[in-house]
mmCIF file of all heavy atoms in Angstrom:
data_model
loop_
_atom_site.group_PDB
_atom_site.id
_atom_site.type_symbol
_atom_site.label_atom_id
_atom_site.label_comp_id
_atom_site.label_asym_id
_atom_site.label_seq_id
_atom_site.Cartn_x
_atom_site.Cartn_y
_atom_site.Cartn_z
ATOM 1 N N TRP X 1285 0.886 -1.111 0.009
ATOM 2 C CA TRP X 1285 0.007 -0.023 0.015
ATOM 3 C C TRP X 1285 0.909 1.226 0.004
ATOM 4 O O TRP X 1285 1.834 1.312 0.723
ATOM 5 C CB TRP X 1285 -0.788 0.040 1.344
ATOM 6 C CG TRP X 1285 -1.769 -1.046 1.553
ATOM 7 C CD1 TRP X 1285 -1.301 -2.382 1.846
ATOM 8 C CD2 TRP X 1285 -3.213 -1.035 1.593
ATOM 9 N NE1 TRP X 1285 -2.464 -3.135 2.081
ATOM 10 C CE2 TRP X 1285 -3.581 -2.329 1.950
ATOM 11 C CE3 TRP X 1285 -4.085 -0.030 1.348
ATOM 12 C CZ2 TRP X 1285 -4.911 -2.769 2.055
ATOM 13 C CZ3 TRP X 1285 -5.399 -0.458 1.539
ATOM 14 C CH2 TRP X 1285 -5.774 -1.758 1.847
ATOM 15 N N VAL X 1286 0.606 2.183 -0.906
ATOM 16 C CA VAL X 1286 1.324 3.466 -0.895
ATOM 17 C C VAL X 1286 0.238 4.568 -0.645
ATOM 18 O O VAL X 1286 -0.727 4.565 -1.436
ATOM 19 C CB VAL X 1286 2.043 3.715 -2.212
ATOM 20 C CG1 VAL X 1286 2.750 5.152 -2.212
ATOM 21 C CG2 VAL X 1286 3.050 2.628 -2.492
ATOM 22 N N LEU X 1287 0.487 5.369 0.390
ATOM 23 C CA LEU X 1287 -0.450 6.489 0.693
ATOM 24 C C LEU X 1287 0.250 7.807 0.390
ATOM 25 O O LEU X 1287 1.347 8.082 0.846
ATOM 26 C CB LEU X 1287 -0.830 6.485 2.150
ATOM 27 C CG LEU X 1287 -1.641 5.279 2.556
ATOM 28 C CD1 LEU X 1287 -0.785 4.102 2.996
ATOM 29 C CD2 LEU X 1287 -2.609 5.714 3.618
ATOM 30 N N THR X 1288 -0.449 8.618 -0.487
ATOM 31 C CA THR X 1288 0.127 9.825 -1.068
ATOM 32 C C THR X 1288 -0.888 10.977 -0.626
ATOM 33 O O THR X 1288 -2.093 10.906 -0.910
ATOM 34 C CB THR X 1288 0.335 9.863 -2.527
ATOM 35 O OG1 THR X 1288 1.015 8.698 -2.842
ATOM 36 C CG2 THR X 1288 0.951 11.024 -3.041
ATOM 37 N N PRO X 1289 -0.432 12.181 0.005
ATOM 38 C CA PRO X 1289 -1.296 13.179 0.316
ATOM 39 C C PRO X 1289 -1.929 13.869 -0.826
ATOM 40 O O PRO X 1289 -1.287 13.958 -1.900
ATOM 41 C CB PRO X 1289 -0.433 14.142 1.127
ATOM 42 C CG PRO X 1289 1.015 13.840 0.750
ATOM 43 C CD PRO X 1289 1.025 12.314 0.346
ATOM 44 N N THR X 1290 -3.176 14.326 -0.757
ATOM 45 C CA THR X 1290 -3.829 15.073 -1.705
ATOM 46 C C THR X 1290 -4.407 16.280 -0.974
ATOM 47 O O THR X 1290 -4.503 16.345 0.251
ATOM 48 C CB THR X 1290 -4.989 14.284 -2.387
ATOM 49 O OG1 THR X 1290 -6.020 14.063 -1.399
ATOM 50 C CG2 THR X 1290 -4.438 12.971 -2.997
ATOM 51 N N PRO X 1291 -4.925 17.280 -1.722
ATOM 52 C CA PRO X 1291 -5.604 18.450 -0.943
ATOM 53 C C PRO X 1291 -6.724 18.006 -0.193
ATOM 54 O O PRO X 1291 -7.062 18.776 0.784
ATOM 55 C CB PRO X 1291 -6.021 19.379 -2.210
ATOM 56 C CG PRO X 1291 -5.050 18.934 -3.250
ATOM 57 C CD PRO X 1291 -4.794 17.486 -3.186
ATOM 58 N N THR X 1292 -7.440 17.001 -0.439
ATOM 59 C CA THR X 1292 -8.629 16.650 0.302
ATOM 60 C C THR X 1292 -8.482 15.427 1.182
ATOM 61 O O THR X 1292 -9.418 14.944 1.755
ATOM 62 C CB THR X 1292 -9.889 16.355 -0.630
ATOM 63 O OG1 THR X 1292 -9.425 15.280 -1.548
ATOM 64 C CG2 THR X 1292 -10.238 17.630 -1.409
ATOM 65 N N GLY X 1293 -7.300 14.882 1.248
ATOM 66 C CA GLY X 1293 -7.038 13.618 2.094
ATOM 67 C C GLY X 1293 -5.800 12.897 1.648
ATOM 68 O O GLY X 1293 -4.708 13.392 1.712
ATOM 69 N N CYS X 1294 -6.027 11.717 1.077
ATOM 70 C CA CYS X 1294 -4.925 10.991 0.535
ATOM 71 C C CYS X 1294 -5.406 9.930 -0.568
ATOM 72 O O CYS X 1294 -6.600 9.604 -0.648
ATOM 73 C CB CYS X 1294 -4.123 10.255 1.613
ATOM 74 S SG CYS X 1294 -4.955 8.802 2.272
ATOM 75 N N HIS X 1295 -4.466 9.644 -1.390
ATOM 76 C CA HIS X 1295 -4.641 8.609 -2.411
ATOM 77 C C HIS X 1295 -4.071 7.365 -1.995
ATOM 78 O O HIS X 1295 -2.978 7.377 -1.505
ATOM 79 C CB HIS X 1295 -4.021 9.118 -3.815
ATOM 80 C CG HIS X 1295 -4.091 8.132 -4.855
ATOM 81 N ND1 HIS X 1295 -3.091 7.274 -5.139
ATOM 82 C CD2 HIS X 1295 -5.124 7.840 -5.720
ATOM 83 C CE1 HIS X 1295 -3.472 6.548 -6.152
ATOM 84 N NE2 HIS X 1295 -4.710 6.866 -6.574
ATOM 85 N N VAL X 1296 -4.749 6.268 -2.138
ATOM 86 C CA VAL X 1296 -4.178 4.907 -1.720
ATOM 87 C C VAL X 1296 -3.991 4.084 -3.002
ATOM 88 O O VAL X 1296 -4.907 3.861 -3.788
ATOM 89 C CB VAL X 1296 -5.125 4.238 -0.735
ATOM 90 C CG1 VAL X 1296 -4.553 2.871 -0.311
ATOM 91 C CG2 VAL X 1296 -5.413 5.121 0.519
ATOM 92 N N LEU X 1297 -2.774 3.646 -3.161
ATOM 93 C CA LEU X 1297 -2.518 2.732 -4.255
ATOM 94 C C LEU X 1297 -2.176 1.361 -3.549
ATOM 95 O O LEU X 1297 -1.303 1.297 -2.604
ATOM 96 C CB LEU X 1297 -1.274 3.214 -5.051
ATOM 97 C CG LEU X 1297 -0.716 2.242 -6.044
ATOM 98 C CD1 LEU X 1297 -1.623 2.050 -7.176
ATOM 99 C CD2 LEU X 1297 0.683 2.771 -6.524
ATOM 100 N N THR X 1298 -2.772 0.291 -4.014
ATOM 101 C CA THR X 1298 -2.561 -1.007 -3.426
ATOM 102 C C THR X 1298 -2.348 -2.016 -4.542
ATOM 103 O O THR X 1298 -2.913 -1.848 -5.637
ATOM 104 C CB THR X 1298 -3.767 -1.446 -2.547
ATOM 105 O OG1 THR X 1298 -3.436 -2.736 -1.994
ATOM 106 C CG2 THR X 1298 -5.030 -1.401 -3.200
ATOM 107 N N GLU X 1299 -1.442 -2.972 -4.358
ATOM 108 C CA GLU X 1299 -1.148 -3.957 -5.248
ATOM 109 C C GLU X 1299 -0.804 -5.252 -4.609
ATOM 110 O O GLU X 1299 -0.148 -5.218 -3.464
ATOM 111 C CB GLU X 1299 0.011 -3.504 -6.197
ATOM 112 C CG GLU X 1299 0.235 -4.471 -7.358
ATOM 113 C CD GLU X 1299 1.301 -3.980 -8.336
ATOM 114 O OE1 GLU X 1299 1.423 -2.700 -8.434
ATOM 115 O OE2 GLU X 1299 1.897 -4.736 -8.964
ATOM 116 N N GLU X 1300 -1.218 -6.403 -5.247
ATOM 117 C CA GLU X 1300 -0.882 -7.672 -4.645
ATOM 118 C C GLU X 1300 -0.477 -8.573 -5.731
ATOM 119 O O GLU X 1300 -1.013 -8.565 -6.782
ATOM 120 C CB GLU X 1300 -2.145 -8.244 -3.874
ATOM 121 C CG GLU X 1300 -1.759 -9.596 -3.269
ATOM 122 C CD GLU X 1300 -2.797 -9.988 -2.201
ATOM 123 O OE1 GLU X 1300 -3.642 -9.192 -1.866
ATOM 124 O OE2 GLU X 1300 -2.807 -11.184 -1.921
ATOM 125 N N ASN X 1301 0.553 -9.385 -5.444
ATOM 126 C CA ASN X 1301 0.876 -10.443 -6.303
ATOM 127 C C ASN X 1301 0.852 -11.809 -5.600
ATOM 128 O O ASN X 1301 1.224 -11.850 -4.433
ATOM 129 C CB ASN X 1301 2.407 -10.345 -6.722
ATOM 130 C CG ASN X 1301 2.573 -9.120 -7.615
ATOM 131 O OD1 ASN X 1301 2.060 -9.017 -8.740
ATOM 132 N ND2 ASN X 1301 3.291 -8.146 -7.172
ATOM 133 N N GLN X 1302 0.282 -12.841 -6.230
ATOM 134 C CA GLN X 1302 0.136 -14.133 -5.618
ATOM 135 C C GLN X 1302 0.773 -15.139 -6.701
ATOM 136 O O GLN X 1302 0.561 -15.022 -7.832
ATOM 137 C CB GLN X 1302 -1.292 -14.512 -5.341
ATOM 138 C CG GLN X 1302 -1.852 -13.637 -4.282
ATOM 139 C CD GLN X 1302 -3.187 -14.131 -3.866
ATOM 140 O OE1 GLN X 1302 -3.730 -15.120 -4.412
ATOM 141 N NE2 GLN X 1302 -3.932 -13.405 -3.000
ATOM 142 N N HIS X 1303 1.444 -16.137 -6.053
ATOM 143 C CA HIS X 1303 2.028 -17.233 -6.971
ATOM 144 C C HIS X 1303 1.847 -18.540 -6.265
ATOM 145 O O HIS X 1303 1.631 -18.608 -5.054
ATOM 146 C CB HIS X 1303 3.553 -16.953 -7.170
ATOM 147 C CG HIS X 1303 3.833 -15.656 -7.704
ATOM 148 N ND1 HIS X 1303 3.877 -15.459 -9.081
ATOM 149 C CD2 HIS X 1303 4.229 -14.519 -7.145
ATOM 150 C CE1 HIS X 1303 4.140 -14.206 -9.336
ATOM 151 N NE2 HIS X 1303 4.421 -13.550 -8.104
ATOM 152 N N GLY X 1304 1.740 -19.559 -7.009
ATOM 153 C CA GLY X 1304 1.676 -20.918 -6.495
ATOM 154 C C GLY X 1304 0.330 -21.648 -6.933
ATOM 155 O O GLY X 1304 -0.537 -21.091 -7.523
ATOM 156 N N LEU X 1305 0.330 -22.890 -6.721
ATOM 157 C CA LEU X 1305 -0.854 -23.756 -7.012
ATOM 158 C C LEU X 1305 -2.149 -23.207 -6.422
ATOM 159 O O LEU X 1305 -3.229 -23.038 -7.038
ATOM 160 C CB LEU X 1305 -0.735 -25.211 -6.687
ATOM 161 C CG LEU X 1305 -1.786 -26.120 -7.021
ATOM 162 C CD1 LEU X 1305 -2.177 -26.083 -8.536
ATOM 163 C CD2 LEU X 1305 -1.525 -27.528 -6.513
ATOM 164 N N GLY X 1306 -2.067 -22.823 -5.137
ATOM 165 C CA GLY X 1306 -3.269 -22.351 -4.441
ATOM 166 C C GLY X 1306 -3.760 -21.100 -5.103
ATOM 167 O O GLY X 1306 -4.936 -20.831 -5.195
ATOM 168 N N ALA X 1307 -2.925 -20.162 -5.497
ATOM 169 C CA ALA X 1307 -3.242 -18.973 -6.153
ATOM 170 C C ALA X 1307 -3.922 -19.215 -7.435
ATOM 171 O O ALA X 1307 -4.960 -18.539 -7.757
ATOM 172 C CB ALA X 1307 -2.034 -18.036 -6.208
ATOM 173 N N ARG X 1308 -3.423 -20.143 -8.284
ATOM 174 C CA ARG X 1308 -3.943 -20.433 -9.562
ATOM 175 C C ARG X 1308 -5.415 -21.046 -9.356
ATOM 176 O O ARG X 1308 -6.312 -20.768 -10.138
ATOM 177 C CB ARG X 1308 -3.041 -21.375 -10.328
ATOM 178 C CG ARG X 1308 -1.742 -20.595 -10.808
ATOM 179 C CD ARG X 1308 -0.997 -21.513 -11.805
ATOM 180 N NE ARG X 1308 -0.550 -22.700 -11.296
ATOM 181 C CZ ARG X 1308 0.570 -22.960 -10.628
ATOM 182 N NH1 ARG X 1308 1.405 -21.947 -10.277
ATOM 183 N NH2 ARG X 1308 0.923 -24.138 -10.218
ATOM 184 N N LEU X 1309 -5.531 -21.905 -8.390
ATOM 185 C CA LEU X 1309 -6.810 -22.600 -8.071
ATOM 186 C C LEU X 1309 -7.844 -21.441 -7.686
ATOM 187 O O LEU X 1309 -9.058 -21.498 -8.153
ATOM 188 C CB LEU X 1309 -6.717 -23.641 -7.084
ATOM 189 C CG LEU X 1309 -6.105 -24.940 -7.508
ATOM 190 C CD1 LEU X 1309 -5.938 -25.844 -6.212
ATOM 191 C CD2 LEU X 1309 -6.817 -25.609 -8.493
ATOM 192 N N GLN X 1310 -7.445 -20.636 -6.882
ATOM 193 C CA GLN X 1310 -8.317 -19.566 -6.370
ATOM 194 C C GLN X 1310 -8.714 -18.634 -7.594
ATOM 195 O O GLN X 1310 -9.894 -18.265 -7.705
ATOM 196 C CB GLN X 1310 -7.610 -18.614 -5.351
ATOM 197 C CG GLN X 1310 -8.456 -17.463 -4.871
ATOM 198 C CD GLN X 1310 -7.820 -16.581 -3.863
ATOM 199 O OE1 GLN X 1310 -7.835 -16.968 -2.695
ATOM 200 N NE2 GLN X 1310 -7.221 -15.528 -4.232
ATOM 201 N N LYS X 1311 -7.857 -18.331 -8.445
ATOM 202 C CA LYS X 1311 -8.164 -17.578 -9.663
ATOM 203 C C LYS X 1311 -9.171 -18.266 -10.492
ATOM 204 O O LYS X 1311 -10.090 -17.553 -11.102
ATOM 205 C CB LYS X 1311 -6.917 -17.299 -10.467
ATOM 206 C CG LYS X 1311 -7.100 -16.322 -11.661
ATOM 207 C CD LYS X 1311 -5.751 -16.088 -12.306
ATOM 208 C CE LYS X 1311 -6.058 -15.085 -13.462
ATOM 209 N NZ LYS X 1311 -4.812 -14.820 -14.238
ATOM 210 N N LYS X 1312 -9.129 -19.582 -10.670
ATOM 211 C CA LYS X 1312 -10.132 -20.338 -11.476
ATOM 212 C C LYS X 1312 -11.426 -20.439 -10.692
ATOM 213 O O LYS X 1312 -12.437 -20.233 -11.367
ATOM 214 C CB LYS X 1312 -9.639 -21.726 -11.758
ATOM 215 C CG LYS X 1312 -8.406 -21.759 -12.710
ATOM 216 C CD LYS X 1312 -9.023 -21.519 -14.112
ATOM 217 C CE LYS X 1312 -7.800 -21.726 -15.135
ATOM 218 N NZ LYS X 1312 -8.204 -21.368 -16.338
ATOM 219 N N LEU X 1313 -11.408 -20.745 -9.440
ATOM 220 C CA LEU X 1313 -12.685 -21.013 -8.649
ATOM 221 C C LEU X 1313 -13.398 -19.784 -8.089
ATOM 222 O O LEU X 1313 -14.615 -19.692 -8.105
ATOM 223 C CB LEU X 1313 -12.337 -22.036 -7.531
ATOM 224 C CG LEU X 1313 -11.807 -23.356 -7.960
ATOM 225 C CD1 LEU X 1313 -11.428 -24.186 -6.660
ATOM 226 C CD2 LEU X 1313 -12.796 -24.136 -8.747
ATOM 227 N N LEU X 1314 -12.558 -18.674 -7.766
ATOM 228 C CA LEU X 1314 -13.126 -17.506 -7.201
ATOM 229 C C LEU X 1314 -12.481 -16.395 -7.911
ATOM 230 O O LEU X 1314 -11.683 -15.657 -7.280
ATOM 231 C CB LEU X 1314 -12.844 -17.434 -5.641
ATOM 232 C CG LEU X 1314 -13.426 -18.600 -4.835
ATOM 233 C CD1 LEU X 1314 -12.829 -18.687 -3.524
ATOM 234 C CD2 LEU X 1314 -14.978 -18.520 -4.847
ATOM 235 N N PRO X 1315 -12.731 -16.052 -9.120
ATOM 236 C CA PRO X 1315 -11.914 -15.188 -9.986
ATOM 237 C C PRO X 1315 -11.936 -13.788 -9.456
ATOM 238 O O PRO X 1315 -10.979 -12.991 -9.705
ATOM 239 C CB PRO X 1315 -12.527 -15.268 -11.340
ATOM 240 C CG PRO X 1315 -13.909 -15.814 -11.179
ATOM 241 C CD PRO X 1315 -13.832 -16.683 -9.902
ATOM 242 N N ASN X 1316 -12.937 -13.316 -8.663
ATOM 243 C CA ASN X 1316 -12.984 -11.908 -8.253
ATOM 244 C C ASN X 1316 -12.721 -11.792 -6.755
ATOM 245 O O ASN X 1316 -12.797 -10.674 -6.204
ATOM 246 C CB ASN X 1316 -14.451 -11.418 -8.453
ATOM 247 C CG ASN X 1316 -14.728 -11.264 -9.972
ATOM 248 O OD1 ASN X 1316 -13.813 -10.949 -10.755
ATOM 249 N ND2 ASN X 1316 -15.953 -11.635 -10.334
ATOM 250 N N ARG X 1317 -12.216 -12.828 -6.105
ATOM 251 C CA ARG X 1317 -12.044 -12.757 -4.651
ATOM 252 C C ARG X 1317 -11.015 -11.694 -4.262
ATOM 253 O O ARG X 1317 -11.245 -10.881 -3.309
ATOM 254 C CB ARG X 1317 -11.571 -14.123 -4.180
ATOM 255 C CG ARG X 1317 -11.472 -14.098 -2.599
ATOM 256 C CD ARG X 1317 -11.061 -15.542 -2.043
ATOM 257 N NE ARG X 1317 -10.959 -15.492 -0.680
ATOM 258 C CZ ARG X 1317 -9.836 -15.329 0.020
ATOM 259 N NH1 ARG X 1317 -8.666 -14.880 -0.672
ATOM 260 N NH2 ARG X 1317 -9.781 -15.214 1.372
ATOM 261 N N MET X 1318 -9.901 -11.686 -4.942
ATOM 262 C CA MET X 1318 -8.887 -10.677 -4.564
ATOM 263 C C MET X 1318 -9.364 -9.234 -4.824
ATOM 264 O O MET X 1318 -9.239 -8.376 -3.918
ATOM 265 C CB MET X 1318 -7.517 -10.880 -5.308
ATOM 266 C CG MET X 1318 -6.491 -9.986 -4.815
ATOM 267 S SD MET X 1318 -4.749 -10.075 -5.633
ATOM 268 C CE MET X 1318 -4.649 -11.644 -6.296
ATOM 269 N N TRP X 1319 -9.999 -8.947 -5.896
ATOM 270 C CA TRP X 1319 -10.622 -7.654 -6.194
ATOM 271 C C TRP X 1319 -11.600 -7.262 -5.148
ATOM 272 O O TRP X 1319 -11.598 -6.120 -4.586
ATOM 273 C CB TRP X 1319 -11.186 -7.547 -7.533
ATOM 274 C CG TRP X 1319 -10.272 -7.598 -8.688
ATOM 275 C CD1 TRP X 1319 -9.993 -8.729 -9.422
ATOM 276 C CD2 TRP X 1319 -9.308 -6.629 -9.062
ATOM 277 N NE1 TRP X 1319 -8.906 -8.355 -10.349
ATOM 278 C CE2 TRP X 1319 -8.520 -7.107 -10.153
ATOM 279 C CE3 TRP X 1319 -9.081 -5.281 -8.647
ATOM 280 C CZ2 TRP X 1319 -7.566 -6.397 -10.798
ATOM 281 C CZ3 TRP X 1319 -8.092 -4.544 -9.252
ATOM 282 C CH2 TRP X 1319 -7.429 -5.131 -10.304
ATOM 283 N N ASN X 1320 -12.443 -8.148 -4.760
ATOM 284 C CA ASN X 1320 -13.462 -7.913 -3.725
ATOM 285 C C ASN X 1320 -12.901 -7.670 -2.355
ATOM 286 O O ASN X 1320 -13.384 -6.790 -1.683
ATOM 287 C CB ASN X 1320 -14.486 -9.071 -3.687
ATOM 288 C CG ASN X 1320 -15.354 -9.268 -4.911
ATOM 289 O OD1 ASN X 1320 -15.480 -8.305 -5.718
ATOM 290 N ND2 ASN X 1320 -15.787 -10.475 -5.170
ATOM 291 N N GLN X 1321 -11.807 -8.397 -2.041
ATOM 292 C CA GLN X 1321 -11.218 -8.223 -0.659
ATOM 293 C C GLN X 1321 -10.504 -6.858 -0.754
ATOM 294 O O GLN X 1321 -10.598 -6.170 0.377
ATOM 295 C CB GLN X 1321 -10.132 -9.298 -0.481
ATOM 296 C CG GLN X 1321 -10.796 -10.674 -0.071
ATOM 297 C CD GLN X 1321 -11.728 -10.552 1.161
ATOM 298 O OE1 GLN X 1321 -12.947 -10.719 1.038
ATOM 299 N NE2 GLN X 1321 -11.091 -10.180 2.310
ATOM 300 N N HIS X 1322 -9.887 -6.439 -1.743
ATOM 301 C CA HIS X 1322 -9.211 -5.195 -1.810
ATOM 302 C C HIS X 1322 -10.290 -4.085 -1.638
ATOM 303 O O HIS X 1322 -10.017 -3.070 -0.935
ATOM 304 C CB HIS X 1322 -8.384 -4.984 -3.120
ATOM 305 C CG HIS X 1322 -7.197 -5.796 -3.136
ATOM 306 N ND1 HIS X 1322 -6.013 -5.268 -3.614
ATOM 307 C CD2 HIS X 1322 -6.902 -6.994 -2.723
ATOM 308 C CE1 HIS X 1322 -5.039 -6.147 -3.530
ATOM 309 N NE2 HIS X 1322 -5.543 -7.193 -2.982
ATOM 310 N N GLN X 1323 -11.344 -4.179 -2.254
ATOM 311 C CA GLN X 1323 -12.377 -3.223 -2.197
ATOM 312 C C GLN X 1323 -12.972 -3.087 -0.764
ATOM 313 O O GLN X 1323 -13.099 -1.973 -0.218
ATOM 314 C CB GLN X 1323 -13.641 -3.435 -3.184
ATOM 315 C CG GLN X 1323 -14.640 -2.462 -3.106
ATOM 316 C CD GLN X 1323 -14.158 -1.183 -3.722
ATOM 317 O OE1 GLN X 1323 -13.345 -1.106 -4.620
ATOM 318 N NE2 GLN X 1323 -14.611 -0.016 -3.225
ATOM 319 N N LEU X 1324 -13.085 -4.187 -0.082
ATOM 320 C CA LEU X 1324 -13.536 -4.178 1.359
ATOM 321 C C LEU X 1324 -12.465 -3.468 2.152
ATOM 322 O O LEU X 1324 -12.750 -2.661 3.107
ATOM 323 C CB LEU X 1324 -13.789 -5.540 1.824
ATOM 324 C CG LEU X 1324 -15.025 -6.258 1.318
ATOM 325 C CD1 LEU X 1324 -15.083 -7.650 1.683
ATOM 326 C CD2 LEU X 1324 -16.262 -5.604 1.690
ATOM 327 N N TRP X 1325 -11.225 -3.776 1.894
ATOM 328 C CA TRP X 1325 -10.117 -3.120 2.760
ATOM 329 C C TRP X 1325 -10.124 -1.662 2.535
ATOM 330 O O TRP X 1325 -9.929 -0.922 3.499
ATOM 331 C CB TRP X 1325 -8.779 -3.703 2.290
ATOM 332 C CG TRP X 1325 -8.444 -5.053 2.796
ATOM 333 C CD1 TRP X 1325 -9.121 -5.765 3.763
ATOM 334 C CD2 TRP X 1325 -7.477 -5.945 2.306
ATOM 335 N NE1 TRP X 1325 -8.554 -7.048 3.903
ATOM 336 C CE2 TRP X 1325 -7.551 -7.200 2.993
ATOM 337 C CE3 TRP X 1325 -6.504 -5.785 1.240
ATOM 338 C CZ2 TRP X 1325 -6.744 -8.229 2.714
ATOM 339 C CZ3 TRP X 1325 -5.658 -6.856 1.020
ATOM 340 C CH2 TRP X 1325 -5.846 -8.020 1.739
ATOM 341 N N LEU X 1326 -10.281 -1.157 1.328
ATOM 342 C CA LEU X 1326 -10.285 0.214 1.033
ATOM 343 C C LEU X 1326 -11.455 0.896 1.673
ATOM 344 O O LEU X 1326 -11.354 2.067 2.198
ATOM 345 C CB LEU X 1326 -10.149 0.465 -0.518
ATOM 346 C CG LEU X 1326 -8.901 0.076 -1.157
ATOM 347 C CD1 LEU X 1326 -8.981 0.152 -2.684
ATOM 348 C CD2 LEU X 1326 -7.860 1.024 -0.682
ATOM 349 N N GLU X 1327 -12.662 0.308 1.521
ATOM 350 C CA GLU X 1327 -13.838 0.925 2.169
ATOM 351 C C GLU X 1327 -13.686 0.946 3.673
ATOM 352 O O GLU X 1327 -14.010 1.976 4.323
ATOM 353 C CB GLU X 1327 -15.061 0.092 1.760
ATOM 354 C CG GLU X 1327 -15.384 0.279 0.337
ATOM 355 C CD GLU X 1327 -16.478 -0.639 -0.199
ATOM 356 O OE1 GLU X 1327 -17.118 -1.511 0.693
ATOM 357 O OE2 GLU X 1327 -16.808 -0.713 -1.315
ATOM 358 N N GLY X 1328 -13.069 -0.040 4.264
ATOM 359 C CA GLY X 1328 -12.859 -0.027 5.721
ATOM 360 C C GLY X 1328 -11.836 1.067 6.169
ATOM 361 O O GLY X 1328 -12.065 1.698 7.142
ATOM 362 N N LEU X 1329 -10.859 1.180 5.342
ATOM 363 C CA LEU X 1329 -9.792 2.214 5.605
ATOM 364 C C LEU X 1329 -10.503 3.608 5.514
ATOM 365 O O LEU X 1329 -10.289 4.422 6.396
ATOM 366 C CB LEU X 1329 -8.635 2.111 4.552
ATOM 367 C CG LEU X 1329 -7.593 3.146 4.632
ATOM 368 C CD1 LEU X 1329 -6.871 3.004 5.933
ATOM 369 C CD2 LEU X 1329 -6.615 3.033 3.505
ATOM 370 N N GLN X 1330 -11.387 3.781 4.438
ATOM 371 C CA GLN X 1330 -12.091 5.110 4.383
ATOM 372 C C GLN X 1330 -12.944 5.375 5.575
ATOM 373 O O GLN X 1330 -12.887 6.423 6.133
ATOM 374 C CB GLN X 1330 -12.813 5.192 3.069
ATOM 375 C CG GLN X 1330 -13.553 6.507 2.890
ATOM 376 C CD GLN X 1330 -14.334 6.507 1.630
ATOM 377 O OE1 GLN X 1330 -14.578 5.480 0.954
ATOM 378 N NE2 GLN X 1330 -14.785 7.669 1.196
#
């Protein structure tokens, strides 16, 4: 996570990388899980 100040608060940039068999299976079985989790984290942070 990188937090950068803005005139009205801050901008949050977040990125994740996953590797391995478990990550590949998750991508096939739950393709939006990582995006959904990131959205929940950002909403909670806000």
Side-chain angles (χ1 to χ4, degrees):
W1285 301 67
V1286 178
L1287 291 90
T1288 307
T1290 68
T1292 59
C1294 73
H1295 176 263
V1296 179
L1297 173 68
T1298 179
E1299 185 172 335
E1300 183 167 342
N1301 292 297
Q1302 294 185 0
H1303 302 279
L1305 178 60
R1308 288 191 301 275
L1309 286 173
Q1310 177 180 279
K1311 185 177 180 181
K1312 289 284 186 189
L1313 299 174
L1314 302 165
N1316 295 320
R1317 183 176 183 273
M1318 189 183 328
W1319 290 105
N1320 293 338
Q1321 287 301 117
H1322 284 222
Q1323 186 63 36
L1324 289 173
W1325 287 343
L1326 290 168
E1327 290 170 5
L1329 178 64
Q1330 181 180 16

